[in-house]
Amino acid sequence: MGDSRETFGPKAFVTGFPVKHSRSPLIHGYWLKTLGLPGSYRAHEVAPEGFADFIASLKDGSSGFAGGNVTIPHKELAFRLADKPDELSRELGASNTLWRENGLLHATNTDGVGFTANLDERHPGWDRHDTAVVFGAGGASRAIIQAVRDRGFKTIHVVNRTVERARELADRFGPKVQAHPAGALAEVMKGAGLFINTTSLGMDGEAAPQLDFTPLATEAVVTDIVYIPLKTPILAQAEEQGFPIVDGLGMLLHQAVPGFEKWFGKRPVVDAALRALIIADMEAH
Ligand code: ATR
């Protein structure tokens, strides 16, 4: 039997394929409980061939959902099928947060605000430099590049093993973004004030290359969007070399805030107890 609060109030979802590993139900469940709000949030797996029908059921209200989160592989289609994608989503071509408003399906992408809110919380002043290095040019790097640009960084070097992917992003995000092959990493790190790993290197116990962070500006911040393990090999190296580091878990927590506020009507707070809850869950699995 579920909590009686789940029977009433708005219903929200996280959808993906697969979606069972998502920690979003834990995050939103924690906020619903601690804020004492009626409503529910659950994982709702939808296969790619069923996604358009799922969106149609959101639009006509038959799903019963007020909205929800969208993860891999549905973010691009969610953006394309929404009635009202916002400007952030339009530039990214992908949405991770949906909500119904006046009969229309709205969409945004909160990965970028999750990224900046995490750094604001854990290392205020991280944005005082002009130059950032983004390592990696996959799907996860897009919202980061957008957020760093919108925060005021004047030069953003995107470095990727496959340089064509970095070039596509430079074209998409404008002249402040410059594309480089992996061999240029040491050169573009010179004097940069922020280093962001968006590659999958070092994830889940996999090996990561040895990186020399010393060309970065003194006190440059090094962060990683991978959060399993919390201290990735890239972060461990940066810390050993004397740089402040920020792990990626807070991005996951903060990106959830705007959606919760839309569906349940109250802005939640990312606190130490929520962080501890997710870390405990990571350790248990
Ligand atoms: P996501 O959408 O989650 O970012 P992705 O699109 O597969 O995932 O991108 C993964 C990123 O990690 C890419 O930048 C990828 O580089 P390529 O574009 O050259 O594939 C990078 N990456 C993964 N394994 C790598 C490796 N062994 N060496 C260097 N870069 C790697």
Side-chain angles (χ1 to χ4, degrees), residues 142-214:
R142 291 186 179 196
I144 310 282
I145 294 168
Q146 185 187 51
V148 167
R149 182 202 60 192
D150 291 352
R151 192 57 178 252
F153 280 81
K154 295 193 173 71
T155 306
I156 301 146
H157 297 294
V158 180
V159 180
N160 199 44
R161 176 178 63 179
T162 313
V163 71
E164 291 75 21
R165 295 185 88 189
R167 287 207 189 100
E168 278 169 31
L169 297 180
D171 290 344
R172 181 182 288 264
F173 294 108
K176 289 180 180 167
V177 180
Q178 297 173 17
H180 307 273
L185 194 57
E187 183 60 29
V188 301
M189 280 166 84
K190 278 183 194 161
L194 178 65
F195 181 96
I196 308 146
N197 177 46
T198 73
T199 72
S200 47
L201 291 166
M203 183 156 45
D204 255 336
E206 298 213 2
Q210 274 303 119
L211 292 179
D212 176 14
F213 292 96
T214 53

Side-chain angles (χ1 to χ4, degrees), residues 192-262:
L194 178 65
F195 181 96
I196 308 146
N197 177 46
T198 73
T199 72
S200 47
L201 291 166
M203 183 156 45
D204 255 336
E206 298 213 2
Q210 274 303 119
L211 292 179
D212 176 14
F213 292 96
T214 53
L216 292 173
T218 325
E219 291 298 298
V221 177
V222 177
T223 186
D224 200 325
I225 65 163
V226 171
Y227 57 89
I228 301 174
L230 218 44
K231 193 184 284 184
T232 63
I234 285 180
L235 291 180
Q237 290 180 48
E239 188 174 54
E240 274 163 25
Q241 294 172 37
F243 291 91
I245 60 169
V246 176
D247 68 61
L249 179 57
M251 179 177 164
L252 172 75
L253 306 178
H254 283 282
Q255 64 77 30
V257 169
F260 186 94
E261 188 176 16
K262 290 281 182 208

